[in-house]
Amino acid sequence: MASDTVSAPRTPESREDAGFDLADLLARRGAERYELQERHLNPQLPRMLHTIGFDKFYERAEGPYFYDAEGNEYLDMLAGFGIFALGRHHPVVRRAVQQVMDLDLPDLTRFDCSPLPGLLAEKLLSHTPHLDRVFFGNSGTEAVETALKFARYATGRSRILYCDHAFHGLTTGSLSVNGEAGFRKGFDPLLPDTPLPLGDLAALERELRRGDVAALIVEPIQGKGVHATPPGWLRAAQELLHKHKALLICDEVQTGIGRTGDFFAYQHEQGVEPDLVCAAKALSGGYVPVGATLGKEWIFRAVYSSMDRVLVHSASFGSNAQAMAAGLATLHVMEDQQIVAHARRVGDLFRERLAALVDKYELLADVRGRGLMIGIEFGKPRSLKLRTGWAALQAARKGLFAQMVVVPLMQRHRILTQVSGDHLEVIKLIPPLVVTERDVDRFVDAFVDVMDDAHRGSGLMWDFGRTLVKQAVANR
């Protein structure tokens, strides 16, 4: 027979005896990481990592470095696609997340107003004085979805313009403004949106004349290929959009929060004041996912126009205490340690050191970017010996030479980098913003070693290139 008595809640001490030990679980089963991924998650990920020799067993991380079980140090030039602006496990952010859990806050009650979202919004908006309000979600793609919805509702129009080769996310709305065909393939039909060549004002004006455009969404520096908008284009585009009563959305999910040497990348161009700005990645401090959509007062007032519409756009985990605490701590560190100025100074040095190599190596075509967002582009060599190898790689699949550089940077020099997009001969460097001149020296020395090897036209790099060619042909 059921008892009428109600047992008392368990104390924190009794909860600690529940039998779950995460450290023990990882110690017992951590070595199964690649098998577990292949069996239960994305089967192509371990296959790809095994193929290029990136199937490492990292044991811990700190700042811009990883460490394996033998204690070897790896330099991170990827920052989790830009998430770890402060490096991994920054003590100030970690302490803030621990504190907010220890406070036992009544989080996400749905019917109160926690101070933390308001404090984080206030701090964010202090960096964008022309914007007034913030919506907090959980990711970059959710920040973009919010901007698309708000632009459509506020303008009463349906169509969004975006730029060729853009990347704004992979959920259905953001995928509709993704300029990479490989991501879109098989997921049609998407929303009625229109691509434009980056920097083409005439194409923009032509579309605006149709009268159905809600907004243009643009990355001030495209992640794919590291291409910045041409000087003056953002401001001219903004003027055209406002003339036709459309909005400018700046996607700063990767470029924002200090990455390019200004708090937001659009701030490099005087007079640019976007109507909506999307942020995420770095705002998390590397601990708790968070996305933010910043916008003008009239746009938010249009969407949330009455009490009946109070929840017309919301997110179940948006504004949660852990994410807000991580964001507040991150912005505190950015200001206290002058991270934005550091990113500008070290980034300028980094690009100068790499650009000085363009005349030395015929396979090196260009070095570009801003702050600590740098693109290294490779191109067709002049000499016959190198042209033969280059042509073989290009015939099999464009982008294989860049992959040939990425692999020895990791295997020989323990430096993690990435090719900047499918079918691109570009390596993108987006390291934690706390990297030092010593880290720049380490990368440049390693890059010189790899490029010296590549220009011999033979050896292990080209042997690996032939392996890549065989695999590319087999996968067609």
Side-chain angles (χ1 to χ4, degrees):
M1 185 171 68
S3 171
D4 291 333
T5 61
V6 179
S7 59
R10 291 197 297 169
T11 65
E13 290 75 20
S14 66
R15 288 199 296 268
E16 289 174 4
D17 295 330
F20 178 72
D21 188 326
L22 182 62
D24 175 67
L25 179 63
L26 289 173
R28 287 186 291 107
R29 302 201 59 189
E32 301 173 44
R33 61 193 71 186
Y34 288 96
E35 291 84 353
L36 289 167
Q37 175 73 221
E38 185 172 6
R39 190 179 311 129
H40 301 301
L41 301 166
N42 181 347
Q44 297 302 330
L45 178 60
R47 180 186 176 197
M48 179 270 288
L49 294 172
H50 292 320
T51 298
I52 63 176
F54 276 36
D55 48 347
K56 307 296 182 183
F57 280 55
Y58 301 116
E59 296 295 326
R60 67 182 184 91
E62 181 180 354
Y65 311 111
F66 306 119
Y67 299 89
D68 62 21
E70 289 72 43
N72 295 311
E73 180 185 272
Y74 297 77
L75 176 60
D76 180 17
M77 284 282 152
L78 186 56
F81 298 140
I83 292 169
F84 296 95
L86 300 181
R88 282 168 169 80
H89 306 300
H90 193 285
V92 173
V93 184
R94 177 166 57 190
R95 186 165 60 249
V97 174
Q98 290 172 334
Q99 278 185 313
V100 79
M101 289 190 290
D102 291 342
L103 287 171
D104 289 335
L105 297 176
D107 196 18
L108 299 177
T109 67
R110 305 303 175 194
F111 290 96
D112 80 335
C113 292
S114 167
L116 292 177
L119 291 169
L120 181 55
E122 179 181 70
K123 182 63 72 174
L124 266 178
L125 291 168
S126 71
H127 294 279
T128 58
H130 76 284
L131 298 178
D132 308 293
R133 296 185 180 274
V134 182
F135 175 86
F136 288 114
N138 307 287
S139 65
T141 194
E142 194 170 330
V144 169
E145 296 278 356
T146 299
L148 299 181
K149 286 180 67 177
F150 281 29
R152 289 180 176 198
Y153 193 87
T155 63
R157 299 172 178 179
S158 62
R159 197 157 57 102
I160 305 290
L161 306 179
Y162 63 98
C163 295
D164 291 335
H165 310 301
F167 182 93
H168 297 294
L170 297 176
T171 49
T172 302
S174 59
L175 186 61
S176 300
V177 292
N178 189 315
E180 173 53 52
F183 288 116
R184 298 166 65 100
K185 184 178 180 182
F187 296 106
D188 296 325
L190 299 171
L191 302 179
D193 302 305
T194 305
L196 303 172
L198 182 68
D200 191 331
L201 284 174
L204 172 60
E205 187 165 24
R206 184 171 59 250
E207 295 299 330
L208 288 170
R209 285 199 199 104
R210 294 172 57 182
D212 63 342
V213 171
L216 166 70
I217 185 168
V218 61
E219 302 155 285
I221 303 178
Q222 289 188 335
K224 181 175 181 180
V226 193
H227 291 289
T229 57
W233 183 79
L234 266 182
R235 183 170 181 176
Q238 174 182 273
E239 292 172 358
L240 274 176
L241 287 159
H242 289 172
K243 176 183 174 182
H244 290 271
K245 296 182 170 45
L247 307 183
L248 174 62
I249 304 170
C250 278
D251 179 351
E252 297 263 7
V253 168
Q254 187 165 102
T255 55
I257 323 293
R259 169 61 54 191
T260 66
D262 262 318
F263 193 83
F264 286 118
Y266 75 81
Q267 293 169 336
H268 288 280
E269 189 170 319
Q270 190 173 7
V272 177
E273 295 187 347
D275 302 286
L276 292 158
V277 174
C278 305
K281 291 188 183 291
L283 189 59
S284 69
Y287 274 99
V288 187
V290 61
T293 306
L294 293 68
K296 292 183 175 179
E297 174 80 14
W298 75 268
I299 298 173
F300 274 68
R301 289 283 184 185
V303 173
Y304 299 111
S305 56
S306 68
M307 283 193 290
D308 288 343
R309 294 181 57 81
V310 66
L311 296 177
V312 71
H313 184 76
S314 62
S316 294
F317 287 95
S319 300
N320 72 81
Q322 290 87 351
M324 300 298 97
L328 282 164
T330 296
L331 295 186
H332 170 81
V333 173
M334 299 284 289
E335 294 176 3
D336 185 62
Q337 299 183 13
Q338 300 182 317
I339 298 296
V340 177
H342 176 81
R344 185 186 309 119
R345 182 179 62 81
V346 175
D348 288 347
L349 171 68
F350 209 163
R351 288 194 315 281
E352 289 169 8
R353 294 282 308 277
L354 291 169
L357 301 175
V358 172
D359 291 336
K360 180 179 179 181
Y361 296 114
E362 56 183 291
L363 284 161
L364 182 57
D366 189 28
V367 174
R368 56 179 175 268
R370 285 197 188 116
L372 283 168
M373 186 171 184
I374 300 170
I376 303 172
E377 184 169 7
F378 305 101
K380 185 178 180 179
R382 297 180 301 275
S383 62
L384 178 61
K385 182 179 181 181
L386 291 176
R387 281 207 313 269
T388 302
W390 175 268
L393 291 171
Q394 297 295 297
R397 195 174 196 273
K398 190 175 180 182
L400 293 187
F401 181 81
Q403 192 65 59
M404 276 176 54
V405 176
V406 164
V407 169
L409 283 172
M410 167 61 85
Q411 294 183 345
R412 283 191 224 161
H413 299 281
R414 296 197 293 272
I415 298 175
L416 178 63
T417 57
Q418 68 168 133
V419 177
S420 181
D422 206 17
H423 302 288
L424 287 183
E425 296 291 3
V426 180
I427 291 175
K428 180 168 66 174
L429 306 180
I430 45 171
L433 304 185
V434 295
V435 290
T436 64
E437 292 184 23
R438 181 179 72 89
D439 300 319
V440 171
D441 291 340
R442 175 176 170 182
F443 180 88
V444 173
D445 289 346
F447 185 71
V448 166
D449 174 68
V450 172
M451 292 304 287
D452 283 345
D453 192 357
H455 282 74
R456 294 187 188 102
S458 61
L460 292 177
M461 269 192 74
W462 289 98
D463 288 343
F464 176 67
R466 283 186 282 274
T467 300
L468 290 177
V469 167
K470 291 176 183 177
Q471 291 170 344
V473 171
N475 288 329
R476 283 179 176 172

